[in-house]
Amino acid sequence: MTAKTTASFAPGHRLMLTFLVALCILVACVLSTETNMPTQNMSNKERAELREEARDMFYHAYHAYMENAYPADELMPLSCKGRYRGVTPSRGDMDDILGNFSMTLVDTLDTLVLLGDFTEFEHAVKLVIRDVQFDSDIIVSVFETNIRMVGGLLSAHILAEYLQKHADTMHWYKGELLEMSRELGYRLLPAFNTSTGIPHARVNLRLGMKDPMLKKSRETCTACAGTILLEFAALSRLTGDPIFEVRAHAAMDALWKLRHRGSDLMGTVLNVHSGDWVRRDSGVGAGIDSYYEYLFKSYVLLGDDKYLARFNRHYNAVMKYVSEGPMLLDVLMHRPHAKSKNFMDSLLAFWPGLQVLSGDLKPAVQTHEMLYQVMQMHTFIPEAFTVDFQIHWGQHPLRPEFIESTYFLYRATGDHHYLQVGKRALKTLQQHAKVSCGYAAVNDVRTGKHEDRMDSFVLSETIKYLFLLFSDPQDLIINVDEFVFTTEAHLLPLSIAQLGNATFSFRQSDEHNVLDFMRTCPSSNKLFPEKVRKPLRNFITGSCPRTTAGKRLSALDFQASNADHLRAVYDMGITMVSVGDRSQGKVRLFHSFYNAKSHEEGEMGLQFMQEMLELTKMQSINQLAQLQAVAYATDEKAQDWVALMAGPSHFSPELIGDQFVEGDVMLAQPLRACDETLENAAEAKGKILVAERGDCTFVSKARLAQKVGAVALIVCDNVPGSSGETQPMFAMSGDGKDDVLIPVVFMYSVEFGKLTAVMQRRKQQPLGVRVMQMVEFKRWQLAKAQRQNQTVAATQKPDKEL
Ligand code: DMJ
């Protein structure tokens, strides 16, 4: 008898068609751009004019800040005054960036040096030494404080010493900025006292983790924990105190251990105590972006091969699972063929720049081109856009990432196309973001409405990269090729590696297969010796021979639409049989040794089947457990119920087992529910509130719903036509705090449309709904049906049997 193993699965390729259509549209766009807009060479004169325009932009914003906002952290460009933590009305968690430590000035110091303005730099350094202090009872973001403040202070310290040496100036300077960064570093250290070594997301500058508000702190994002090493290594090496670097390496090591061993991908949110993943979405944008950046740049700055090896492992995984042509779409780290989002966020625009640095030029060019199309379509790149390039979230806070990538692409290729792209970005800022008091963020790219916000990165990154793009090396006082740009575009010199002592001498890593990458073609080690950031003109991608010989196809990699995979599976003795309605794509797998091409392949087939079973189990458990239901009775006697599919949130209590919340549904007024309160707040008590996605975070809508006494919140999508039937459900993420005590669920537009249709039909009567787990709803319905059957059976049974 043949031993047979069977497994069923439904390949999660429902989005494939959408992607293909989107790709076709994109290719068409790119082609039309290429034919209609041949790249024009930019004359030296025009380039110099643009450089001066970038300089003027800097001073316009800088003077607006210094004259109207300093010593505040940020300038509010519409009200033309400073934003102070605890004084200016709070914007919620966004304000964790602010520590009342003159952030914009600190963040901007090194740009002054790049502009060659030593007089203003000296003046600004004096102001920082005189005015900035850190002993405040304020909770700040560890990540933001590190990249903007510690990075800003360190870079300014390095440049101050550089100017002492090379420009015969600032002789009074005695390392005060370095001392300040050391003090700030110490104030961040309590956040690293966790069982995993992965730092908390927030810390109180004065009280460390002893602030009662931080008692329940446990969630952080991958980027938040993984974007510390460059600054902390520089801090240790410059001060001689190893603690910073030791802690940052430990955090990186702990993160690395959390990667999915099958896919090599990382999630975006995790628990710092248990190391459990809270969000398993895996992409290259929000929540994870600079973790990848710091793996690669840590190798460049510190010369430790293990970081290159780790970067390469992740990079290969990203290119295999996340990259879809020029697009980068989140997948689930444990189910990497399943897309977890149908939109991309603007933060991923840094990725082509990182690809340039790591030598993979071709996909960098492609993704950058895609982003350029998005920018041309919507004036600015919106915070999030769908796979067919529609706006998902229309805000644009004048972020630098796209210009940063444009700069690196220009340096790598010398192609004037990138100068033209930069020109367009510059003119767009001038036309649509410039106000009399600085540059204002765009609240919605569709309307062009401004926001009273100018983030410090506008000066420290956006305008800096524009200035650099239009500058020739001889225009700059320093040779930028001798520096690494941190994620906040602060300059750390490559020479820092030489400051390492025995504590930091790196062993050749054995566990991370450095040798594997030396054998690859092109060899990572050959491509990136010391001058890793030199232009990579001769780099040719796609010319390496590919071989899969001897490598078993794993269930994780298997794609039902791939003919090679189908053949490999067949050779392993696996037969695929469609079950049920073909359109559902359900397939059952049968394995038999007799059908395998060889005994060896039969063994492989068995392993494949076991993996598939595991994956199927994990997928269905995850999906079912997470899916929420918004159920309502379809008749007056509440006999028949239907449930609409909804998604959970990471920040609200889970409804488990037979728990549910019941109430009448009420639409928030205004529907976006982003203001301080609601117009219909008085009626909200005890209701299940509905708010539309957009304008503010999910969690701030939840807090407002809770404040007005709602018992639950349903957030409905703002993308017309979206549906849980055609796209993957996701869990809404929060900000690491757990102060939301009411259940919050997400509903796509089609499901929401059904709900509103019922509400309208019952105009006179409020619609009562139950929010519960979908699996529980199903169980409930089943039990009800069984009870009914029993009753029917009982009434039909002959008397004597009763
Ligand atoms: C900056 O603070 C940094 O570049 C960070 O890594 C990501 N976000 C902002 C700019 O968008």
Side-chain angles (χ1 to χ4, degrees), residues 115-185:
L115 293 171
D117 192 345
F118 306 151
T119 315
E120 185 58 27
F121 175 67
E122 184 167 6
H123 170 63
V125 169
K126 283 183 180 162
L127 286 180
V128 168
I129 295 170
R130 189 192 73 190
D131 298 341
V132 175
Q133 61 87 34
F134 306 120
D135 186 27
S136 313
D137 184 4
I138 292 179
I139 293 176
V140 293
S141 152
V142 173
F143 159 77
E144 298 287 2
T145 307
N146 177 56
I147 65 169
R148 302 189 198 213
M149 294 296 297
V150 176
L153 290 167
L154 282 172
S155 176
H157 160 74
I158 288 156
L159 293 175
E161 290 198 334
Y162 186 93
L163 292 187
Q164 286 182 328
K165 252 200 221 147
H166 300 278
D168 195 20
T169 178
M170 290 185 75
H171 293 297
W172 55 269
Y173 179 72
K174 300 274 175 300
E176 292 88 341
L177 297 175
L178 180 61
E179 271 319 301
M180 291 176 77
S181 56
R182 184 210 299 254
E183 184 200 333
L184 190 52

Coordinates of all heavy atoms in Angstrom, one line a residue, residues 115-185:
L115 N 26.5 74.1 3.6 CA 26.3 75.3 2.8 C 27.5 76.2 2.9 O 27.5 77.3 2.2 CB 25.1 76.1 3.4 CG 23.7 75.4 3.2 CD1 22.7 76.1 4.0 CD2 23.3 75.3 1.8
G116 N 28.5 75.9 3.7 CA 29.7 76.7 3.8 C 29.5 78.0 4.7 O 30.3 78.9 4.7
D117 N 28.4 78.0 5.5 CA 28.1 79.1 6.3 C 28.7 78.9 7.7 O 28.0 78.6 8.7 CB 26.6 79.3 6.4 CG 26.2 80.7 7.0 OD1 27.1 81.3 7.6 OD2 25.0 81.1 6.8
F118 N 30.0 79.1 7.8 CA 30.7 78.8 9.0 C 30.3 79.8 10.1 O 30.3 79.5 11.3 CB 32.2 78.9 8.9 CG 32.7 77.9 7.8 CD1 33.8 78.2 7.1 CD2 32.0 76.8 7.4 CE1 34.3 77.4 6.0 CE2 32.4 76.0 6.4 CZ 33.5 76.3 5.7
T119 N 30.0 81.1 9.7 CA 29.7 82.1 10.7 C 28.4 81.7 11.4 O 28.3 81.7 12.6 CB 29.5 83.5 10.0 OG1 30.6 83.6 9.1 CG2 29.4 84.6 11.0
E120 N 27.4 81.3 10.6 CA 26.1 81.0 11.2 C 26.2 79.7 12.0 O 25.6 79.5 13.1 CB 25.0 80.9 10.2 CG 23.6 80.6 10.7 CD 23.1 81.7 11.7 OE1 23.5 82.9 11.6 OE2 22.3 81.3 12.5
F121 N 27.0 78.8 11.5 CA 27.2 77.5 12.2 C 27.8 77.8 13.6 O 27.3 77.3 14.6 CB 28.2 76.6 11.4 CG 28.6 75.3 12.1 CD1 27.6 74.3 12.4 CD2 29.9 75.1 12.6 CE1 27.9 73.1 13.0 CE2 30.2 73.9 13.2 CZ 29.2 72.9 13.4
E122 N 28.8 78.6 13.6 CA 29.5 78.9 14.9 C 28.5 79.6 15.9 O 28.4 79.2 17.0 CB 30.7 79.9 14.7 CG 31.4 80.2 15.9 CD 32.8 80.9 15.6 OE1 33.1 81.2 14.5 OE2 33.6 81.0 16.6
H123 N 27.7 80.5 15.3 CA 26.7 81.2 16.2 C 25.7 80.2 16.7 O 25.3 80.1 17.9 CB 26.0 82.2 15.3 CG 24.8 82.8 15.9 ND1 24.8 83.6 17.1 CD2 23.5 82.8 15.5 CE1 23.6 84.0 17.4 NE2 22.8 83.5 16.5
A124 N 25.2 79.3 15.8 CA 24.2 78.3 16.2 C 24.7 77.3 17.2 O 24.0 76.9 18.1 CB 23.7 77.5 14.9
V125 N 26.0 76.9 17.0 CA 26.6 76.0 18.0 C 26.6 76.7 19.4 O 26.3 76.0 20.4 CB 28.0 75.6 17.6 CG1 28.8 74.8 18.7 CG2 27.9 74.7 16.3
K126 N 27.0 77.9 19.4 CA 27.0 78.7 20.7 C 25.6 78.7 21.3 O 25.5 78.5 22.5 CB 27.5 80.1 20.5 CG 29.0 80.2 20.3 CD 29.5 81.6 20.2 CE 31.0 81.6 20.0 NZ 31.5 82.9 19.4
L127 N 24.6 78.9 20.5 CA 23.2 79.0 21.0 C 22.8 77.6 21.6 O 22.3 77.5 22.7 CB 22.2 79.3 19.9 CG 22.2 80.7 19.4 CD1 21.1 80.8 18.3 CD2 21.8 81.7 20.5
V128 N 23.2 76.5 20.9 CA 22.8 75.2 21.4 C 23.5 74.9 22.7 O 22.9 74.4 23.7 CB 23.2 74.1 20.3 CG1 23.1 72.7 20.9 CG2 22.3 74.2 19.1
I129 N 24.8 75.3 22.8 CA 25.5 75.0 24.1 C 24.9 75.8 25.2 O 24.8 75.4 26.3 CB 27.0 75.4 23.9 CG1 27.6 74.4 22.8 CG2 27.8 75.3 25.2 CD1 29.0 74.8 22.4
R130 N 24.5 77.1 24.9 CA 23.9 77.9 25.9 C 22.5 77.6 26.3 O 22.2 77.5 27.5 CB 23.9 79.4 25.4 CG 23.6 80.4 26.4 CD 23.3 81.8 25.8 NE 22.0 81.8 25.1 CZ 21.6 82.7 24.2 NH1 22.4 83.8 24.0 NH2 20.4 82.7 23.7
D131 N 21.7 77.2 25.3 CA 20.2 77.1 25.6 C 19.7 75.7 25.8 O 18.7 75.5 26.4 CB 19.4 77.7 24.5 CG 19.8 79.2 24.3 OD1 20.3 79.8 25.2 OD2 19.5 79.7 23.2
V132 N 20.3 74.7 25.2 CA 19.7 73.4 25.1 C 20.0 72.6 26.4 O 21.1 72.5 26.8 CB 20.1 72.6 23.9 CG1 19.5 71.2 23.9 CG2 19.7 73.4 22.6
Q133 N 18.9 72.0 27.0 CA 19.2 71.2 28.1 C 18.2 70.0 28.1 O 17.1 70.1 27.4 CB 19.1 71.9 29.4 CG 17.8 72.6 29.7 CD 16.8 71.7 30.4 OE1 17.2 70.9 31.2 NE2 15.5 71.9 30.1
F134 N 18.5 68.9 28.8 CA 17.7 67.7 28.6 C 17.0 67.2 29.9 O 16.4 66.2 29.8 CB 18.7 66.6 28.1 CG 19.4 66.9 26.9 CD1 20.8 66.9 26.8 CD2 18.7 67.3 25.7 CE1 21.5 67.2 25.7 CE2 19.4 67.6 24.5 CZ 20.8 67.6 24.5
D135 N 17.2 67.9 31.0 CA 16.7 67.5 32.2 C 15.2 67.8 32.3 O 14.8 68.7 33.2 CB 17.5 68.0 33.4 CG 17.0 67.4 34.7 OD1 16.5 66.3 34.7 OD2 17.1 68.1 35.8
S136 N 14.4 67.3 31.5 CA 12.9 67.6 31.5 C 12.1 66.4 31.8 O 12.4 65.3 31.3 CB 12.5 68.2 30.1 OG 13.5 69.1 29.6
D137 N 11.0 66.6 32.5 CA 10.1 65.5 32.8 C 9.2 65.3 31.5 O 8.0 65.7 31.5 CB 9.3 65.9 34.0 CG 8.3 64.8 34.4 OD1 8.4 63.7 33.8 OD2 7.5 65.0 35.4
I138 N 9.8 64.8 30.5 CA 9.0 64.7 29.2 C 9.3 63.3 28.6 O 10.5 62.8 28.6 CB 9.5 65.7 28.2 CG1 9.1 67.1 28.6 CG2 9.0 65.4 26.8 CD1 9.6 68.2 27.7
I139 N 8.3 62.6 28.2 CA 8.5 61.3 27.5 C 8.8 61.6 26.0 O 8.0 62.3 25.3 CB 7.2 60.5 27.6 CG1 7.0 60.1 29.1 CG2 7.3 59.2 26.8 CD1 5.8 59.3 29.4
V140 N 9.9 61.0 25.6 CA 10.2 61.2 24.1 C 10.4 59.9 23.4 O 10.6 58.9 24.1 CB 11.5 62.0 24.0 CG1 11.4 63.5 24.4 CG2 12.7 61.3 24.7
S141 N 10.3 59.9 22.1 CA 10.6 58.7 21.3 C 12.1 58.5 21.3 O 12.9 59.4 21.0 CB 10.1 59.0 19.9 OG 10.9 58.2 19.0
V142 N 12.5 57.3 21.6 CA 14.0 56.9 21.7 C 14.6 57.0 20.3 O 15.6 57.6 20.1 CB 14.1 55.5 22.2 CG1 15.6 55.1 22.1 CG2 13.7 55.4 23.7
F143 N 13.8 56.5 19.3 CA 14.3 56.5 17.9 C 14.5 57.9 17.4 O 15.5 58.3 16.9 CB 13.3 55.8 17.1 CG 13.3 56.0 15.6 CD1 14.2 55.5 14.8 CD2 12.3 56.8 15.0 CE1 14.3 55.7 13.4 CE2 12.3 57.1 13.7 CZ 13.3 56.5 12.9
E144 N 13.4 58.8 17.6 CA 13.5 60.1 17.0 C 14.6 61.0 17.7 O 15.3 61.7 17.1 CB 12.2 60.8 17.1 CG 11.0 60.2 16.4 CD 11.1 60.3 14.8 OE1 12.1 60.9 14.4 OE2 10.2 59.8 14.2
T145 N 14.7 60.8 19.0 CA 15.7 61.6 19.8 C 17.1 61.1 19.4 O 18.0 62.0 19.3 CB 15.5 61.3 21.3 OG1 14.1 61.6 21.6 CG2 16.4 62.3 22.1
N146 N 17.2 59.9 19.1 CA 18.5 59.4 18.7 C 18.9 60.0 17.3 O 19.9 60.6 17.1 CB 18.6 57.9 18.7 CG 19.9 57.4 18.1 OD1 20.9 57.7 18.7 ND2 19.9 56.6 17.1
I147 N 18.0 59.8 16.3 CA 18.4 60.1 15.0 C 18.5 61.7 14.8 O 19.3 62.1 14.0 CB 17.5 59.5 13.9 CG1 16.0 60.0 13.9 CG2 17.5 58.0 13.9 CD1 15.2 59.6 12.7
R148 N 17.6 62.4 15.5 CA 17.6 63.9 15.2 C 18.5 64.6 16.1 O 19.3 65.5 15.7 CB 16.2 64.4 15.4 CG 15.2 63.8 14.4 CD 13.9 64.5 14.4 NE 12.8 63.6 13.9 CZ 11.8 64.1 13.2 NH1 11.7 65.4 12.9 NH2 10.9 63.3 12.7
M149 N 18.5 64.2 17.4 CA 19.2 65.0 18.4 C 20.6 64.4 18.6 O 21.6 65.1 18.5 CB 18.5 65.0 19.8 CG 17.2 65.7 19.8 SD 17.4 67.5 19.5 CE 18.3 68.0 20.9
V150 N 20.7 63.1 19.0 CA 22.1 62.6 19.2 C 22.9 62.7 17.9 O 24.0 63.1 17.9 CB 22.0 61.1 19.7 CG1 23.4 60.5 19.8 CG2 21.3 61.0 21.0
G151 N 22.2 62.3 16.8 CA 22.9 62.4 15.5 C 23.3 63.8 15.1 O 24.4 64.0 14.6
G152 N 22.4 64.7 15.4 CA 22.6 66.1 15.0 C 23.8 66.7 15.8 O 24.7 67.4 15.3
L153 N 23.8 66.4 17.1 CA 24.9 66.9 18.0 C 26.2 66.3 17.6 O 27.3 67.0 17.5 CB 24.6 66.5 19.5 CG 23.4 67.3 20.1 CD1 23.0 66.6 21.4 CD2 23.8 68.8 20.3
L154 N 26.2 64.9 17.3 CA 27.5 64.3 17.0 C 28.1 64.8 15.7 O 29.3 65.1 15.6 CB 27.2 62.8 16.8 CG 27.1 62.0 18.1 CD1 26.7 60.5 17.8 CD2 28.4 62.0 18.9
S155 N 27.2 64.9 14.7 CA 27.7 65.4 13.4 C 28.2 66.8 13.5 O 29.3 67.2 13.0 CB 26.5 65.3 12.4 OG 26.8 65.9 11.2
A156 N 27.5 67.7 14.3 CA 28.0 69.0 14.5 C 29.3 69.1 15.2 O 30.2 69.9 14.9 CB 26.9 69.8 15.2
H157 N 29.5 68.2 16.2 CA 30.7 68.1 16.9 C 31.9 67.7 16.0 O 32.9 68.4 16.0 CB 30.6 67.0 18.0 CG 32.0 66.6 18.5 ND1 32.8 67.3 19.3 CD2 32.6 65.4 18.3 CE1 33.9 66.7 19.6 NE2 33.8 65.5 18.9
I158 N 31.6 66.7 15.2 CA 32.7 66.3 14.2 C 33.0 67.4 13.3 O 34.2 67.6 13.0 CB 32.1 65.0 13.5 CG1 32.1 63.8 14.4 CG2 33.0 64.7 12.2 CD1 31.1 62.7 14.0
L159 N 32.0 68.1 12.8 CA 32.3 69.2 11.8 C 33.0 70.4 12.5 O 33.8 71.1 11.9 CB 31.0 69.6 11.1 CG 30.5 68.5 10.2 CD1 29.1 68.8 9.6 CD2 31.5 68.1 9.1
A160 N 32.6 70.6 13.7 CA 33.2 71.7 14.5 C 34.7 71.4 14.6 O 35.6 72.3 14.3 CB 32.6 71.9 15.8
E161 N 35.1 70.2 14.9 CA 36.5 69.9 15.0 C 37.2 69.9 13.6 O 38.3 70.3 13.5 CB 36.7 68.5 15.6 CG 36.3 68.5 17.1 CD 36.8 67.3 17.9 OE1 37.0 66.2 17.2 OE2 37.1 67.4 19.1
Y162 N 36.4 69.5 12.6 CA 36.9 69.5 11.2 C 37.2 71.0 10.8 O 38.3 71.3 10.3 CB 35.8 69.0 10.3 CG 36.2 68.8 8.9 CD1 36.8 67.6 8.4 CD2 36.1 69.8 8.0 CE1 37.1 67.4 7.1 CE2 36.4 69.7 6.6 CZ 36.9 68.5 6.2 OH 37.3 68.3 4.9
L163 N 36.3 71.9 11.2 CA 36.6 73.3 10.9 C 37.8 73.9 11.6 O 38.5 74.7 11.1 CB 35.3 74.1 11.1 CG 34.1 73.9 10.2 CD1 33.0 74.9 10.5 CD2 34.5 73.9 8.8
Q164 N 37.9 73.4 12.9 CA 39.1 73.9 13.7 C 40.3 73.6 12.9 O 41.3 74.4 12.8 CB 39.1 73.2 15.0 CG 38.1 73.8 16.0 CD 38.2 73.1 17.4 OE1 38.5 71.9 17.5 NE2 37.9 73.9 18.4
K165 N 40.4 72.3 12.4 CA 41.6 71.9 11.7 C 41.7 72.5 10.3 O 42.8 72.9 9.9 CB 41.4 70.3 11.5 CG 42.4 69.6 12.4 CD 42.5 68.2 11.9 CE 42.5 67.2 13.1 NZ 42.0 66.0 12.8
H166 N 40.6 72.5 9.5 CA 40.8 72.8 8.1 C 40.4 74.3 7.8 O 40.7 74.7 6.7 CB 39.9 71.9 7.3 CG 40.4 70.5 7.4 ND1 41.4 69.9 6.7 CD2 39.9 69.5 8.2 CE1 41.6 68.7 7.1 NE2 40.7 68.3 8.0
A167 N 39.6 74.9 8.7 CA 39.2 76.3 8.3 C 39.7 77.3 9.3 O 39.3 78.5 9.3 CB 37.7 76.4 8.2
D168 N 40.6 76.9 10.2 CA 41.2 77.8 11.2 C 40.1 78.6 11.9 O 40.2 79.8 12.0 CB 42.2 78.6 10.5 CG 43.1 79.3 11.5 OD1 43.2 78.8 12.6 OD2 43.7 80.4 11.2
T169 N 39.1 78.0 12.4 CA 38.0 78.7 13.1 C 37.5 77.9 14.3 O 37.9 76.8 14.4 CB 36.9 79.0 12.1 OG1 35.9 79.7 12.8 CG2 36.3 77.8 11.4
M170 N 36.7 78.5 15.1 CA 36.0 77.9 16.2 C 37.1 77.3 17.2 O 36.8 76.3 17.8 CB 35.1 76.8 15.8 CG 33.8 77.3 15.1 SD 32.6 76.1 14.7 CE 31.9 75.7 16.3
H171 N 38.1 78.0 17.4 CA 39.2 77.5 18.4 C 38.7 77.4 19.8 O 39.3 76.7 20.6 CB 40.5 78.3 18.2 CG 41.0 78.1 16.8 ND1 41.5 76.9 16.4 CD2 41.2 78.9 15.8 CE1 41.9 77.0 15.1 NE2 41.7 78.2 14.7
W172 N 37.6 78.2 20.1 CA 37.1 78.1 21.5 C 36.4 76.8 21.8 O 36.2 76.4 22.9 CB 36.1 79.3 21.7 CG 35.0 79.2 20.6 CD1 35.0 79.8 19.4 CD2 33.8 78.4 20.7 NE1 33.8 79.5 18.7 CE2 33.1 78.7 19.5 CE3 33.2 77.6 21.7 CZ2 31.8 78.1 19.2 CZ3 32.0 77.0 21.4 CH2 31.3 77.2 20.2
Y173 N 36.0 76.1 20.7 CA 35.2 74.9 20.9 C 36.0 73.7 21.6 O 37.1 73.4 21.1 CB 34.7 74.4 19.5 CG 33.8 73.1 19.7 CD1 32.5 73.2 20.2 CD2 34.3 71.9 19.3 CE1 31.8 72.0 20.4 CE2 33.5 70.7 19.4 CZ 32.3 70.8 20.0 OH 31.5 69.7 20.1
K174 N 35.4 73.2 22.6 CA 36.2 72.2 23.4 C 35.3 70.9 23.6 O 35.4 70.2 24.6 CB 36.5 72.7 24.8 CG 37.3 74.0 24.9 CD 38.8 73.6 24.9 CE 39.7 74.8 24.8 NZ 39.5 75.7 23.7
G175 N 34.6 70.5 22.6 CA 33.8 69.2 22.6 C 32.5 69.3 23.4 O 32.0 68.3 23.8
E176 N 32.0 70.5 23.6 CA 30.8 70.6 24.4 C 29.6 69.8 23.7 O 28.8 69.3 24.4 CB 30.3 72.1 24.5 CG 31.3 73.0 25.3 CD 32.4 73.6 24.5 OE1 32.7 73.1 23.4 OE2 33.1 74.5 25.0
L177 N 29.5 69.8 22.4 CA 28.4 69.1 21.8 C 28.5 67.6 22.0 O 27.5 66.9 22.2 CB 28.4 69.4 20.2 CG 28.1 70.9 19.9 CD1 28.2 71.0 18.3 CD2 26.8 71.4 20.3
L178 N 29.7 67.1 22.0 CA 29.9 65.7 22.3 C 29.5 65.4 23.7 O 28.8 64.4 23.9 CB 31.4 65.3 22.1 CG 31.8 63.9 22.3 CD1 31.0 62.9 21.4 CD2 33.3 63.6 22.2
E179 N 29.8 66.3 24.6 CA 29.4 66.0 26.0 C 27.8 66.0 26.1 O 27.3 65.2 26.8 CB 29.9 67.2 26.9 CG 31.3 66.9 27.5 CD 31.4 65.4 28.0 OE1 30.6 65.0 28.8 OE2 32.3 64.7 27.4
M180 N 27.2 66.9 25.3 CA 25.8 67.0 25.3 C 25.2 65.7 24.7 O 24.2 65.1 25.3 CB 25.3 68.2 24.5 CG 25.6 69.5 25.2 SD 25.1 70.9 24.1 CE 23.3 70.9 24.4
S181 N 25.8 65.2 23.7 CA 25.3 64.0 23.1 C 25.5 62.8 24.0 O 24.7 61.9 24.1 CB 25.8 63.7 21.7 OG 27.2 63.7 21.8
R182 N 26.6 62.8 24.8 CA 26.8 61.7 25.8 C 25.7 61.8 26.8 O 25.2 60.8 27.2 CB 28.2 61.9 26.4 CG 28.6 60.8 27.4 CD 29.5 61.2 28.5 NE 30.7 61.8 28.2 CZ 31.9 61.1 28.3 NH1 31.9 59.9 28.8 NH2 33.0 61.7 28.0
E183 N 25.4 63.0 27.3 CA 24.4 63.1 28.3 C 23.0 62.6 27.8 O 22.3 61.9 28.5 CB 24.3 64.6 28.8 CG 23.2 64.7 29.9 CD 22.7 66.1 30.1 OE1 23.4 67.1 29.8 OE2 21.5 66.2 30.6
L184 N 22.7 63.0 26.6 CA 21.5 62.6 26.0 C 21.4 61.1 25.8 O 20.4 60.4 26.1 CB 21.2 63.3 24.7 CG 19.8 63.2 24.1 CD1 18.7 63.5 25.1 CD2 19.7 64.1 22.8
G185 N 22.6 60.5 25.4 CA 22.7 59.1 25.3 C 22.4 58.4 26.6 O 21.7 57.4 26.6

